[in-house]
Amino acid sequence: MSAINTGDLFTVEGHGVIVTGGASGIGLGYVEALAGKGARVTIFDIDPRRIEAEVGRLRAAGLDVAGQVLDVTDHAALETAVDSVADHYARLDAVFANAGIDSGPGFLTGWAGEDRPRAPEGELERYTDQRWNRVIEVNLNGVFATVRAASRHMKVQRRGRIVLTTSLAGRRVEPAIGSAYMAAKAGAAHFMRCAALELAAYGVTVNAIAPGFIVTNIGGGHAKAAAVQQRMARAIPLGRVGLPADLHGLALFFASAASSYVTGQEIVVDGGWGLG
Ligand SMILES: NC(=O)c1ccc[n+]([C@@H]2O[C@H](COP(=O)([O-])OP(=O)(O)OC[C@H]3O[C@@H](n4cnc5c(N)ncnc54)[C@H](O)[C@@H]3O)[C@@H](O)[C@H]2O)c1
């Protein structure tokens, strides 16, 4: 029997990777996890200031990271950008469809605990078309366009990894978040399964990471408030809020050979918050 060698399972050295929304929070965590293991990573993000700061910081640390200002709602620009990154790397190993926005207040305020008054501005009868459409445009249509652009390359090369960032809120209603967010994330999760089934014949896997409560800049960085974190820590079985680094392991798993036989799966990373 040959010796078992699991040493290369999580290798992403030299891989060509794109992360949308990679200049902050969870996406930036993916960038750090993959570039830290030798991948060549390009960030697509709408925030030029953050791109410049983070790309500068990571390059100074010796990582092969680049950035491009790009809005995932501009599907034509997205396709051109994916083409040029794939050409530049002469390969496209993994694409993270991660860019997303908060949808403003839901019908309850606060994140956890018993004192959660209703928020009239978040209730359904006041929910504007504009607000609904914007969230669907970024969090669902932007994911569709990213996966489509990635599939055009990966299908031809007959390999690739596509990873979506969905949410616990796509599986369980979280009243503090507006309903468009939940609809978009649930839609993205099922679209992920659909794309996984279609692309499996070409050796391309499509999976999703569904975070719980992670401290990032989303929604103006509300998760950074100490009082919010303390309240959440009491509600989360593992006893603390999540950080982007808590997603590093799963990002490497889905991007590497370690997940070769896994497709169409959404894995929740929430410290047990969704358990009840
Ligand atoms: N933070 C959480 O608790 C949490 C939980 C579940 C899911 N998520 C999801 O994680 C993903 C990342 O969010 P985050 O929490 O890291 O937030 P974040 O605000 O820290 O980072 C999001 C990044 O996406 C960029 N972005 C926004 N709209 C864009 C667009 N149209 N085109 C390109 N880039 C765009 C922003 O500039 C920002 O850099 C989102 O899809 C979000 O819905 C977050």
Side-chain angles (χ1 to χ4, degrees):
M1 203 171 86
S2 63
I4 295 168
N5 181 6
T6 55
D8 292 336
L9 270 183
F10 290 86
T11 297
V12 291
E13 179 112 38
H15 288 196
V17 177
I18 292 170
V19 181
T20 71
S24 170
I26 290 167
L28 181 58
Y30 298 156
V31 174
E32 290 174 339
L34 275 89
K37 293 283 187 194
R40 309 173 71 191
V41 186
T42 296
I43 293 169
F44 291 164
D45 202 290
I46 43 167
D47 188 333
R49 198 179 44 85
R50 281 213 170 97
I51 291 178
E52 194 184 345
E54 297 302 344
V55 168
R57 180 178 65 84
L58 295 171
R59 276 194 186 154
L63 305 185
D64 191 341
V65 175
Q68 185 171 333
V69 178
L70 191 122
D71 187 331
V72 295
T73 68
D74 183 343
H75 297 189
L78 180 62
E79 271 168 39
T80 305
V82 170
D83 289 351
S84 82
V85 171
D87 280 355
H88 176 65
Y89 292 147
R91 59 193 289 175
L92 188 61
D93 299 275
V95 171
F96 287 79
N98 164 78
I101 54 170
D102 173 69
S103 56
F107 69 91
L108 291 188
T109 55
W111 285 90
E114 286 167 14
D115 178 24
R116 302 183 73 183
R118 285 184 93 91
E121 73 276 20
E123 287 183 326
L124 201 47
E125 66 270 28
R126 289 194 177 81
Y127 215 96
T128 62
D129 286 351
Q130 189 190 22
R131 192 174 154 202
W132 177 273
N133 290 339
R134 179 67 192 153
V135 176
I136 298 295
E137 194 58 32
V138 178
N139 292 9
L140 182 57
N141 298 349
V143 167
F144 155 70
T146 305
V147 173
R148 181 178 60 183
S151 75
R152 287 184 176 143
H153 290 272
M154 292 176 176
K155 210 169 157 174
V156 173
Q157 67 188 16
R158 298 190 80 84
R159 67 185 167 77
R161 300 272 190 270
I162 299 173
V163 186
L164 279 61
T165 307
T166 53
S167 176
L168 181 62
R171 302 161 69 103
R172 186 189 80 159
V173 174
E174 175 43 63
I177 310 175
S179 52
Y181 187 91
M182 269 153 295
K185 292 297 185 182
H190 210 46
F191 167 61
M192 175 274 293
R193 291 178 199 104
C194 186
L197 184 60
E198 181 176 338
L199 296 175
Y202 300 90
V204 179
T205 67
V206 191
N207 291 289
I209 296 174
F213 189 93
I214 312 293
V215 179
T216 69
N217 291 308
I218 202 164
H222 59 78
K224 292 183 172 168
V228 173
Q229 291 187 14
Q230 280 161 16
R231 191 175 255 223
M232 284 306 300
R234 285 197 292 274
I236 294 171
L238 284 178
R240 64 172 178 84
V241 295
L243 299 171
D246 289 311
L247 306 165
H248 283 180
L250 196 51
L252 277 170
F253 172 72
F254 278 144
S256 68
S259 63
S260 299
Y261 202 53
V262 181
T263 197
Q265 302 306 308
E266 180 183 58
I267 297 187
V268 175
V269 185
D270 69 345
W273 188 28
L275 293 174

